[in-house]
Amino acid sequence: MRLRHIEVFHAVYTSGSITGAARLLNVSQPSISKVLAHAEQQLGFPLFERHKGKIVPTREADRLIENVNEVYRNINELRRISKNLGSAETGVVRIAMTPALGIDLIPAAISSYLAQHPDTVFEIETLHLHQVVRALREMRVDFGIVFSPPVTPGIKIDHLAAAEFVVIANKSMDWADRTKLSMDDLDGLDFVNLNARSPLGRILATRIESSDIQLRTVANVETYQMAKALVAHGVGVALIDEITARSSGHDQVNAFYLDPPLPFEISILHTVSDPFSVITQRFIAHLKSEMTAFLERPL
């Protein structure tokens, strides 16, 4: 079946009539009938039969439609991509990000971008690293934004910004006159720890293991937002990413730089074979500017 055959077959099958297909494709009814007849001639079997003035799909058509639907979805995706590649003002930007970035930073960047480009539409997923990679490979998103990702086959890593860990503590702790804390300052304290399965969790675990201190772990969490919420309720101290620390919520938490610093990367992930559209490139440039300003805010 040629692409035109597929398009006409899909329109007739989904609309249930030659008239409906002609309306969907904005062509004449004789044109639809001619293409459909040519498709059936090429295939060697009928796709539709007439029954009491209506056309009814044949068994062969019913078997074909699932594969045709898949082809049609790919055609629509190709149209969407080609439109986005050529336009910086309209289109869809699909992003997957680690949860910490979805609290304040990315929403603020999207808001300021839409103020300048109101015809843009964003599709957003908050996922963990392995889920971001899967979304990229499934072509559900255009790019991902994550913390310190490992090298992954088929995935390109672009630097977006540098950030660091900070210490957070409940305001009831007597550190109000401090701006920096060392690992020694945390010795013996109740500690909210991040699961070591994540890239930042592994970085943090390495620093803790190399420090000559004892921490009393009272909770292991999957996200830094949960760690911040626990600290806000007086459950120990935590070492978290500065993005979460700077984000809104939990005013009863103080944040302190770690001395010496423990840095990490904020990176953009995308598939090697999938080029950025013009609109995606423009949003990423805007995001870099917004991220720089966000990280320069006081803790």
Side-chain angles (χ1 to χ4, degrees), residues 1-40 47-48 55 65 68 72 75 79:
M1 297 180 76
R2 298 177 181 176
L3 285 176
R4 185 58 177 169
H5 295 160
I6 291 172
E7 187 176 38
V8 168
F9 168 64
H10 182 269
V12 174
Y13 193 101
T14 54
S15 68
S17 68
I18 298 294
T19 303
R23 191 180 302 113
L24 280 175
L25 299 179
N26 197 29
V27 297
S28 67
Q29 294 182 42
S31 175
I32 294 292
S33 298
K34 182 178 179 181
V35 172
L36 189 60
H38 188 254
E40 292 176 327
L47 293 170
F48 298 93
I55 59 170
I65 192 61
V68 166
Y72 214 71
I75 291 171
R79 287 171 176 162

Side-chain angles (χ1 to χ4, degrees), residues 58-210:
T58 63
R59 181 181 301 177
E60 290 81 3
D62 288 334
R63 294 186 65 181
L64 275 175
I65 192 61
E66 288 188 16
N67 290 318
V68 166
N69 281 337
E70 181 63 26
V71 171
Y72 214 71
R73 282 192 292 270
N74 290 335
I75 291 171
N76 286 335
E77 179 68 6
L78 176 61
R79 287 171 176 162
R80 185 195 67 78
I81 291 172
S82 61
K83 180 180 178 181
N84 281 359
L85 284 172
S87 172
E89 298 300 329
T90 62
V92 179
V93 179
R94 305 176 304 166
I95 313 170
M97 71 191 75
T98 193
L101 295 165
I103 303 168
D104 265 352
L105 178 56
I106 302 300
I110 288 174
S111 176
S112 56
Y113 186 86
L114 286 172
Q116 302 172 35
H117 310 283
D119 292 329
T120 307
V121 175
F122 287 87
E123 295 181 1
I124 305 162
E125 298 186 45
T126 52
L127 306 169
H128 292 295
L129 174 62
H130 70 282
Q131 296 170 319
V132 172
V133 172
R134 184 186 306 143
L136 286 167
R137 287 178 170 159
E138 292 175 354
M139 299 183 68
R140 295 201 327 259
V141 297
D142 302 314
F143 64 97
I145 314 173
V146 298
F147 295 151
S148 293
V151 174
T152 304
I155 301 296
K156 191 172 187 301
I157 302 173
D158 293 333
H159 172 79
L160 185 59
E164 60 184 276
F165 282 85
V166 297
V167 181
I168 58 169
N170 191 277
K171 287 187 174 180
S172 62
M173 299 192 70
D174 190 20
W175 284 337
D177 59 337
R178 306 280 297 273
T179 58
K180 295 183 179 182
L181 296 173
S182 68
M183 295 298 291
D184 289 339
D185 291 315
L186 309 183
D187 192 20
L189 297 178
D190 288 348
F191 187 66
V192 178
N193 197 18
L194 185 73
N195 194 301
R197 290 194 299 268
S198 69
L200 288 199
R202 289 190 287 272
I203 293 171
L204 180 57
T206 299
R207 170 61 69 89
I208 292 172
E209 289 170 6
S210 65

Side-chain angles (χ1 to χ4, degrees), residues 242-259:
E242 64 174 305
I243 303 295
T244 303
R246 295 174 184 277
S247 297
S248 59
H250 307 301
D251 293 337
Q252 57 274 55
V253 172
N254 283 330
F256 308 87
Y257 290 105
L258 186 63
D259 185 22

